[in-house]
Amino acid sequence: MIQEVETRSHREVPNEELNMKTCPKQYVLAVGDALNAFTGKWKLFIIGALIPGKQRFSELEKNIPKINPRMLSKELRDLEANGIVKRKVNDSLPVSVEYELTPSGYAMREMFDSMIDWGIKHRAWCMPGKG
């Protein structure tokens, strides 16, 4: 016997209905997948730096303070493996490599905008005069 599966979006479920007993396993798995895709000290910085558009390795290095080349390379490989960043090698002399977000990576824009808004408000609240 085939059971009907409820197809309401998680955004359509009232907050009072969301708890660990009613939260579908898919929601928990989806959060885990999202966290695995960008967990790490530098991944969110790299994604944020790429939101405006393509950048070469050296540009990313300049735009992300305190990251070393080895770590940047490692994190870019991880992001590429997760389908968030794509790497393009240009046939030129010298060879240049550009990185840009995939459509999946660009889909994080809304999340980044929300994080920026929250961060600005939080900074103003907890550190008045330092925003």
Side-chain angles (χ1 to χ4, degrees):
M1 179 175 173
I2 299 174
Q3 289 183 327
E4 284 285 318
V5 177
E6 190 171 343
T7 59
R8 283 195 298 180
S9 161
H10 71 282
R11 293 178 186 186
E12 297 170 348
V13 178
N15 284 340
E16 58 272 6
E17 287 184 34
L18 289 177
N19 61 49
M20 289 310 288
K21 290 182 182 177
T22 61
C23 186
K25 183 177 180 181
Q26 293 87 345
Y27 295 178
V28 175
L29 293 174
V31 170
D33 291 344
L35 290 174
N36 285 334
F38 51 80
T39 295
K41 181 176 179 179
W42 298 106
K43 286 187 179 86
L44 290 175
F45 290 99
I46 294 167
I47 295 166
L50 288 171
I51 283 178
K54 298 177 186 176
Q55 289 191 39
R56 293 187 355 236
F57 188 91
S58 60
E59 294 171 313
L60 284 168
E61 215 176 354
K62 288 176 192 168
N63 289 325
I64 304 169
K66 300 181 183 178
I67 192 168
N68 66 52
R70 182 177 168 179
M71 185 56 66
L72 178 56
S73 181
K74 178 202 171 299
E75 297 287 61
L76 283 166
R77 279 193 308 270
D78 288 351
L79 289 166
E80 189 177 7
N82 279 308
I84 295 168
V85 168
K86 65 182 170 184
R87 178 179 188 260
K88 181 182 176 194
V89 179
N90 297 314
D91 260 349
S92 61
L93 286 174
V95 172
S96 70
V97 179
E98 290 180 323
Y99 296 90
E100 69 178 312
L101 295 175
T102 63
S104 179
Y106 277 116
M108 293 183 191
R109 174 94 194 223
E110 187 179 329
M111 179 189 66
F112 269 84
D113 290 344
S114 295
M115 288 172 60
I116 291 165
D117 291 344
W118 180 86
I120 289 168
K121 291 173 188 167
H122 181 70
R123 180 174 282 268
W125 177 76
C126 69
M127 294 182 277
K130 299 208 180 197

